[in-house]
Amino acid sequence: MKKAYLIFLLALLIQLGCSGPKPKDASMSPEMKNIQELLSKGNYDDALKAAKDIAVQVPPSPAAANALYLEGYILTFDKSDLQNARPPLRKLLEDYPQSAYVIPSQKLIADAQYWQGHYGGAIEEYRKLETMGNSKLGLYAKLQIGNSLLLEDKVDEALACYRELMEKNPGTTIADSAQLMTANAYLKLQNASQAKKELKKLILQSQNHDIQESAQKALRQIEEDASFGQDSQISN
């Protein structure tokens, strides 16, 4: 089942992505325009320094929240420094709770925990995101809670998350993703028969080509693994 499980993990990365919302040029100040220009040219070190300089200005700059988000964003996606990306994002949440960058920052904190393999911490952060009033990100957070539980081997709890998403959001991409991960959960339980049923149902019902393709690939892999196992038993 290991190959099929790896396919599911790859499918999960394709569906959920490893990106975040692009920093917006919310401020028309020359400082913020300069950072955006540095980013567009790939000068990440200079952009990071400029963002940090704005974030620590006294009195606070009108662009401080934007700068803190940019700092966390650059550290996460351009420097791959997930550990140090969290402090500026947490400062933004604490000092600028009315900022437009609060929800993107909370998502980035949760995703960073998840990508680092800190699944318990990720669950806590995704639960915060779930309550922030953004319906689309709330569903994303619910799915990620299920995925975090699954990766912690809390399969029954993960299945409950997936089932809730499927029941409350029929016909949507988030429901399809939850069903894909439901099949994955059954693979972890060594229940290939139920995993195949979930995949076949998904292939028939989903309108999302990428998800259908992922499900078909996983189904083929499960069947190949089963055939290989039978051949091995015969040869022995």
Side-chain angles (χ1 to χ4, degrees):
M1 295 300 173
K2 288 183 179 179
K3 289 182 181 178
Y5 187 68
L6 289 173
I7 288 171
F8 274 106
L9 290 179
L10 177 59
L12 174 62
L13 290 174
I14 291 171
Q15 294 304 321
L16 299 179
C18 292
S19 64
K22 294 292 183 183
K24 298 176 183 178
D25 190 3
S27 169
M28 298 303 292
S29 71
E31 293 172 313
M32 295 311 302
K33 285 185 178 180
N34 176 54
I35 294 176
Q36 296 289 351
E37 288 174 5
L38 290 169
L39 286 174
S40 68
K41 294 175 182 177
N43 295 337
Y44 303 124
D45 288 336
D46 290 341
L48 181 60
K49 182 180 182 304
K52 287 181 176 180
D53 288 344
I54 294 172
V56 298
Q57 286 180 11
V58 179
S61 164
N66 193 173
L68 286 166
Y69 180 71
L70 281 166
E71 185 179 342
Y73 183 95
I74 295 166
L75 286 167
T76 299
F77 295 108
D78 300 318
K79 308 295 287 183
S80 299
D81 188 351
L82 300 178
Q83 191 68 31
N84 286 319
R86 290 199 293 273
L89 297 171
R90 291 197 186 281
K91 181 174 175 57
L92 190 159
L93 295 179
E94 292 171 4
D95 294 354
Y96 304 96
Q98 304 304 316
S99 168
Y101 293 93
V102 165
I103 293 177
S105 293
Q106 182 60 47
K107 179 182 183 296
L108 202 47
I109 289 170
D111 286 342
Q113 291 274 31
Y114 181 83
W115 296 331
Q116 285 186 290
H118 302 161
Y119 302 120
I123 289 169
E124 291 181 13
E125 300 299 342
Y126 283 125
R127 282 180 175 150
K128 294 176 187 176
L129 180 61
E130 200 177 6
T131 65
M132 285 186 160
N134 183 303
S135 58
K136 183 177 180 180
L137 286 180
L139 293 175
Y140 167 82
K142 185 74 171 182
L143 183 64
Q144 283 294 82
I145 289 169
N147 295 336
S148 299
L149 288 166
L150 186 62
L151 288 165
E152 283 199 320
D153 293 323
K154 297 177 180 178
V155 183
D156 289 341
E157 293 178 56
L159 280 169
C161 282
Y162 300 145
R163 289 191 187 108
E164 183 179 342
L165 284 168
M166 288 187 286
E167 289 169 3
K168 292 184 177 180
N169 307 277
T172 65
T173 299
I174 201 77
D176 289 347
S177 298
Q179 188 157 9
L180 185 66
M181 295 309 298
T182 295
N184 193 17
Y186 281 116
L187 278 182
K188 287 203 77 171
L189 293 172
Q190 300 297 307
N191 189 342
S193 176
Q194 187 60 40
K196 288 167 67 175
K197 288 180 183 178
E198 298 292 341
L199 290 170
K200 288 176 181 178
K201 187 189 304 181
L202 181 58
I203 291 166
L204 287 173
Q205 295 179 353
S206 178
Q207 301 298 311
N208 185 300
H209 175 73
D210 290 337
I211 290 178
Q212 280 186 327
E213 193 173 76
S214 296
Q216 289 167 345
K217 186 176 181 180
L219 183 60
R220 286 195 300 270
Q221 188 65 66
I222 293 170
E223 291 172 343
E224 287 174 9
D225 287 351
S227 176
F228 178 78
Q230 290 175 354
D231 291 343
S232 296
Q233 288 179 357
I234 292 171
S235 64
N236 290 333

